[in-house]
Amino acid sequence: MSEIHAQTVSYVRETMLPEQEPPVTERGAIKWVRENLFSSWLNGLLTLISLYFVYWVLSHTLGWMVYGIWDASSLSECRAIRDELYGEGANVACWAVIADRWHQLLFGFYPAEAYWRPVLALILFGGALAPILFDGLPRKMLMLSIAAPFVCYWLLWGGTIWGPAAVALGFVIGGMIYAYSQSIIGVLGATIAAVLVPILYWLFLAGPIAGALGNTLPIGINAIGSAEFGGFLLALVIGASGIILSMPLGVVLALGRQSDLFIINKFSVLFIEVIRGVPLIVWLFTASLLLNYFLPPGSNFDLMLRVIIMVTLFSSAYIAEVVRGGLAALPRGQYEGADSLGLNYWQSMQLIILPQALKISIPGIVSSFIGLFKDTTLVVFVGLSDPIGFSNLIRATTDWNGIYWELFIFIGLCFFMFCFAMSRYSQYLERKLRTDHR
Amino acid sequence: MKKSVFLGTLAVAGLAAGFASAQTLAEVQARGSLNCGVTTGLTGFAAPNASGEWEGFDVGLCRAVAAAIFGDATAVEFVPTTGQTRFTALASGEVDMLARNTTWTFSRDVDLAFEFVGVNYYDGQGFMVPRALNVSSAMELDGATVCIQTGTTTELNLADFFSSNNMSYEPVPIETNAEAQQQYLAGACDVYTTDASGLAATRATFEDPSAHVVLPEIVSKEPLGPLVRHGDNEWADIVRWTLNALIAAEELGITSANVNELAAGTENPEINRILGTEGDLGAMLGLDAAWARNAIAAVGNYGELFESNIGENTPIGLARGLNAQWTDGGLLYSPPFR
């Protein structure tokens, strides 16, 4: 051994070689480019074509956007400034229309001195959503979430504070009845009473109470009618109310569709299938046209409210089907396990079934919501001034007639912001709730 | 949250339904503002400005009616209505009157049970072509491609015109006026056809309006006018005579500038009757004696309204044409105020 070793030792390196850099083609940016863009001649060709396409699009739009004119009061003035700066007929955007009318695209006809109200309502709404969306936040913030719908309503529409307060009291009454009367009239009795008593209260007591309080303690802000709402304010109010209201309704419908009770089951199926079987635009026309024929003449309750109701019903049917998918995906053992623990129906749903079913349904629910939010632009067909509707109104003035892309790009960007945020949140939620070990 | 409001409204409405139809004026006065249906934006006729105030030729009529009732031209709630929602909005009482570029036709007047109270703009369908085509008459349009808004009376008029002249055309269906402008400028069609006022407004927005001509032929009658519901003639009278007052004011030389001066009393008894210094025309309508004076002071007479919104000094630049006074060879002819 040692001899062999002695003879071979001169060929053995005694010191380590210093680490060498990988060849230039196998490191850094060049490696990345070779692997991802030019891994074969076909990929290389496609890369070149794509690059050319990107260049072509940017070369046509970037200059148009960047050199756009921001300071003009009409399209013709815009064109005059352009001719002066870049020569006759240069192709540049006229962003001045956004600078001139952005407040209308965001707030519609809402009075300018009251813009702080929707802004405050939006901040409050965000604050109210935060503890629901992110469970790291203190639980006390949930109090804000409960109060937010009423405060937001009051901020947006104004008027006396006692109206929303009297309505909120109804929910308190319902909750107390449910909590304290179970021992006396049983769970089912308590549930029914908790629904019926507040409805009776709203019908017969809420109005007089709010009126009496308003007379004795007139606290309130300027009332602003629904007709003044427009632009993204309108889209957000319709979208947010639709999303918030359709979620519980959708879950109830999904449970109803799974129910063994014949009437509830068939009613849920009928509701879901009828609502889903007809396009949203038809429901909107129903809200704006047909309801007027059915209701006695002269009774026009708020078009915006009618639209919110229709959008909510429409969205809840879709949510119901998404949630039903989640319910169906749960193994039967989960239901049986809940039963064997002696939980009643609502407890088993609340503690075992729905948390799992909703987790499975998250991507579907969020994409329904994104769709709902974008569908709010359909209200333009019933004469509401949503962002698209307002772009038509802006174009109808002699100042801005003939301007298209600038308005649509602005509206598109605003919608993208909201929808992208929703999409990112749903991905965050999926990651957080993932309990399996993939 | 709004359930109580909703159901309450229903109950009240149910009670009121029986006698709601015949007292529009009382309702408007109780509400303190006029609900006026306008378009969802039409250049020169109705559009909000940068501060959100509605302006335009149709809007001016709404303001005149509000001024006649309340003495205040701002007491109007403008309700934008689309082509589909306008008639239900009026029939259901959501609006008190429509001033919305609506063509007065037999079936709308009779079958839909509305009352057209007059004509505030005589329009007609025309054609616009690029000047480079060297077309000087619509009779030379044989074989042309035509951009046309679908589902409108203009579509039917176009078919009638071409078939009665033994010409052929290729329609390029489009949905909105905005789309039509883009298509026409991109050269997707040789001809764009819609109401002549719309053509003028569209042409005014082009980079080079002089490169396009509106052909002289007008192929349809489009009398546009304000309308109200059937069955409340007192209300219809108010809207009709407000419009007539504006027209008569132009004929008699009453303007927003001199109306207060003339209201002190003039030699002309008709002016005195209109402005309420003689007779009791206002009381017959159930309005203040100064009703017409307020309306004219607020928006000017018909000619002023026309000139400031769609006339030749505006970018739209419409000539008076048929909309001139009958004394100037037009069709405007107000019945006498006596």
Side-chain angles (χ1 to χ4, degrees):
Chain A
M1 284 291 282
S2 63
E3 279 175 11
I4 295 167
H5 189 70
Q7 283 165 356
T8 56
V9 76
S10 61
Y11 301 103
V12 173
R13 188 184 290 279
E14 287 174 330
T15 54
M16 286 292 286
L17 269 176
E19 250 182 43
Q20 279 193 337
E21 287 200 356
V24 71
T25 55
E26 287 300 322
R27 70 186 141 98
I30 295 177
K31 178 185 178 203
W32 186 88
V33 166
R34 272 170 60 96
E35 277 183 2
N36 291 295
L37 299 180
F38 297 99
S39 58
S40 71
W41 66 267
L42 181 64
N43 285 357
L45 192 67
L46 290 176
T47 299
L48 287 178
I49 293 175
S50 312
L51 279 179
Y52 177 74
F53 179 73
V54 171
Y55 163 78
W56 184 82
V57 169
L58 285 182
S59 68
H60 280 75
T61 56
L62 212 56
W64 181 82
M65 287 192 186
V66 172
Y67 293 114
I69 289 154
W70 282 93
D71 191 20
S73 66
S74 71
L75 182 58
S76 45
E77 197 182 321
C78 231
R79 283 173 177 158
I81 293 173
R82 177 203 62 189
D83 288 349
E84 200 177 298
L85 287 178
Y86 308 115
E88 189 90 7
N91 200 5
V92 296
C94 181
W95 298 115
V97 65
I98 309 291
D100 192 34
R101 297 297 187 100
W102 65 271
H103 57 284
Q104 289 186 333
L105 286 170
L106 295 187
F107 298 105
F109 292 107
Y110 214 81
E113 66 276 8
Y115 280 168
W116 61 272
R117 281 160 56 175
V119 172
L120 188 62
L122 184 67
I123 294 171
L124 197 66
F125 180 68
L129 273 186
I132 300 174
L133 300 185
F134 303 103
D135 58 4
L137 291 165
R139 292 296 87 191
K140 282 211 174 115
M141 279 180 77
L142 280 173
M143 295 302 288
L144 183 67
S145 314
I146 294 169
F150 305 100
V151 181
C152 284
Y153 172 83
W154 180 63
L155 276 175
L156 289 173
W157 276 272
T160 169
I161 197 168
W162 299 113
V167 174
L169 188 62
F171 287 102
V172 176
I173 293 173
M176 302 229 311
I177 289 174
Y178 185 73
Y180 297 116
S181 69
Q182 284 189 17
S183 53
I184 309 166
I185 48 178
V187 176
L188 186 65
T191 313
I192 294 174
V195 173
L196 269 186
V197 174
I199 289 179
L200 290 175
Y201 159 80
W202 283 321
L203 278 181
F204 299 108
L205 277 177
I209 287 179
L213 281 170
N215 286 335
T216 48
L217 265 180
I219 305 175
I221 45 178
N222 233 357
I224 292 173
S226 303
E228 313 295 317
F229 285 56
F232 273 96
L233 175 59
L234 183 80
L236 274 176
V237 168
I238 295 177
S241 335
I243 287 170
I244 292 169
L245 298 173
S246 69
M247 186 67 207
L249 195 58
V251 172
V252 168
L253 280 171
L255 293 177
R257 196 166 184 169
Q258 297 247 313
S259 168
D260 297 330
L261 301 170
F262 180 79
I263 293 181
I264 291 183
N265 179 302
K266 288 294 169 280
F267 175 78
S268 302
V269 171
L270 186 73
F271 180 91
I272 291 170
E273 295 304 334
V274 168
I275 295 272
R276 277 204 321 162
V278 179
L280 178 58
I281 187 74
V282 174
W283 289 120
L284 290 179
F285 274 124
T286 309
S288 84
L289 305 180
L290 273 180
L291 278 182
N292 277 341
Y293 283 122
F294 292 143
L295 297 173
S299 66
N300 43 82
F301 74 100
D302 212 356
L303 177 59
M304 192 163 149
L305 176 61
R306 282 182 268 164
V307 165
I308 288 179
I309 292 172
M310 279 303 173
V311 166
T312 304
L313 296 182
F314 187 78
S315 165
S316 65
Y318 276 86
I319 298 291
E321 285 302 277
V322 173
V323 173
R324 189 174 70 99
L327 290 172
L330 279 195
R332 188 119 201 97
Q334 296 290 331
Y335 292 86
E336 288 163 356
D339 288 346
S340 69
L341 286 174
L343 301 176
N344 69 28
Y345 178 77
W346 292 109
Q347 284 168 331
S348 73
M349 285 300 144
Q350 193 187 337
L351 298 173
I352 299 198
I353 307 299
L354 282 179
Q356 302 183 68
L358 290 180
K359 190 186 87 182
I360 302 172
S361 320
I362 286 169
I365 290 176
V366 173
S367 72
S368 285
F369 284 161
I370 291 177
L372 166 69
F373 183 57
K374 289 187 296 182
D375 281 350
T376 57
T377 50
L378 285 175
V379 301
V380 67
F381 293 110
V382 294
L384 287 178
S385 312
D386 82 314
I388 299 290
F390 234 103
S391 79
N392 291 336
L393 284 176
I394 290 170
R395 227 184 348 259
T397 55
T398 40
D399 285 348
W400 298 116
N401 194 346
I403 207 155
Y404 306 91
W405 292 104
E406 292 85 346
L407 289 169
F408 286 135
I409 288 173
F410 179 77
I411 294 167
L413 277 179
C414 290
F415 268 110
F416 178 79
M417 263 166 36
F418 287 110
C419 295
F420 189 64
M422 279 196 257
S423 157
R424 297 307 297 186
Y425 174 72
S426 110
Q427 286 173 21
Y428 155 83
L429 207 56
E430 272 173 60
R431 277 197 302 276
K432 195 180 67 134
L433 296 178
R434 182 182 290 161
T435 45
D436 54 357
H437 304 281
R438 263 180 284 179
Chain B
M1 133 176 293
K2 284 186 147 188
K3 206 169 233 160
S4 59
V5 181
F6 162 37
L7 291 169
T9 319
L10 270 190
V12 173
L15 290 175
F19 46 91
S21 60
Q23 47 178 10
T24 313
L25 176 62
E27 275 175 23
V28 170
Q29 280 170 333
R31 197 190 302 131
S33 69
L34 170 76
N35 287 340
C36 193
V38 292
T39 66
T40 51
L42 182 68
T43 316
F45 286 85
N49 66 11
S51 47
E53 287 151 11
W54 284 84
E55 288 173 348
F57 188 67
D58 281 341
V59 168
L61 189 64
C62 299
R63 293 201 185 280
V65 174
I69 298 170
F70 300 107
D72 176 9
T74 59
V76 195
E77 289 290 331
F78 291 98
V79 180
T81 54
T82 68
Q84 286 91 355
T85 63
R86 55 183 166 183
F87 295 127
T88 12
L90 182 60
S92 69
E94 202 174 324
V95 297
D96 305 310
M97 61 176 281
L98 272 185
R100 200 209 164 275
N101 268 72
T102 304
T103 307
W104 185 352
T105 66
F106 180 93
S107 58
R108 284 172 182 173
D109 199 339
V110 177
D111 192 31
L112 292 180
F114 293 127
E115 191 79 17
F116 282 82
V117 299
V119 175
N120 69 337
Y121 189 83
Y122 289 94
D123 213 336
Q125 188 178 341
F127 299 97
M128 178 164 63
V129 293
R131 193 177 290 278
L133 284 185
N134 275 327
V135 174
S136 59
S137 157
M139 306 309 254
E140 299 167 26
L141 289 177
D142 197 9
T145 52
V146 183
C147 276
I148 175 98
Q149 285 186 50
T150 52
T152 60
T153 48
T154 50
E155 199 178 10
L156 307 174
N157 294 333
L158 179 75
D160 288 353
F161 173 75
F162 272 84
S163 68
S164 64
N165 287 302
N166 274 328
M167 299 194 296
S168 67
Y169 69 102
E170 197 179 321
V172 178
I174 37 130
E175 205 46 53
T176 62
N177 187 47
E179 192 190 341
Q181 295 186 15
Q182 294 286 58
Q183 295 279 11
Y184 173 75
L185 282 181
C189 48
D190 307 323
V191 188
Y192 177 38
T193 179
T194 186
D195 287 350
S197 60
L199 286 182
T202 303
R203 181 169 170 265
T205 69
F206 291 168
E207 286 239 48
D208 181 11
S210 61
H212 303 270
V213 280
V214 176
L215 298 178
E217 281 86 355
I218 297 293
V219 299
S220 72
K221 287 189 287 188
E222 310 279 348
L224 310 176
L227 55 155
V228 297
R229 281 180 294 279
H230 252 308
D232 187 354
N233 294 1
E234 287 79 15
W235 176 247
D237 286 343
I238 290 172
V239 182
R240 173 180 303 118
W241 285 95
T242 305
L243 174 62
N244 284 340
L246 299 184
I247 295 173
E250 189 190 14
E251 188 184 344
L252 297 168
I254 312 172
T255 66
S256 56
N258 69 10
V259 62
N260 285 328
E261 188 187 319
L262 293 176
T266 63
E267 300 292 299
N268 185 333
E270 182 152 26
I271 293 181
N272 292 346
R273 280 194 298 271
I274 292 179
L275 298 183
T277 43
E278 205 178 302
D280 52 357
L281 296 185
M284 291 183 204
L285 284 174
L287 298 175
D288 193 57
W291 65 282
R293 180 183 157 191
N294 290 335
I296 297 164
V299 301
N301 64 33
Y302 182 92
E304 289 176 85
L305 199 55
F306 193 100
E307 284 310 322
S308 61
N309 289 302
I310 51 181
E312 287 184 311
N313 294 323
T314 65
I316 303 171
L318 287 171
R320 286 295 287 270
L322 286 179
N323 298 292
Q325 293 286 335
W326 63 284
T327 46
D328 301 331
L331 291 176
L332 293 185
Y333 188 98
S334 163
F337 280 74
R338 66 166 64 247

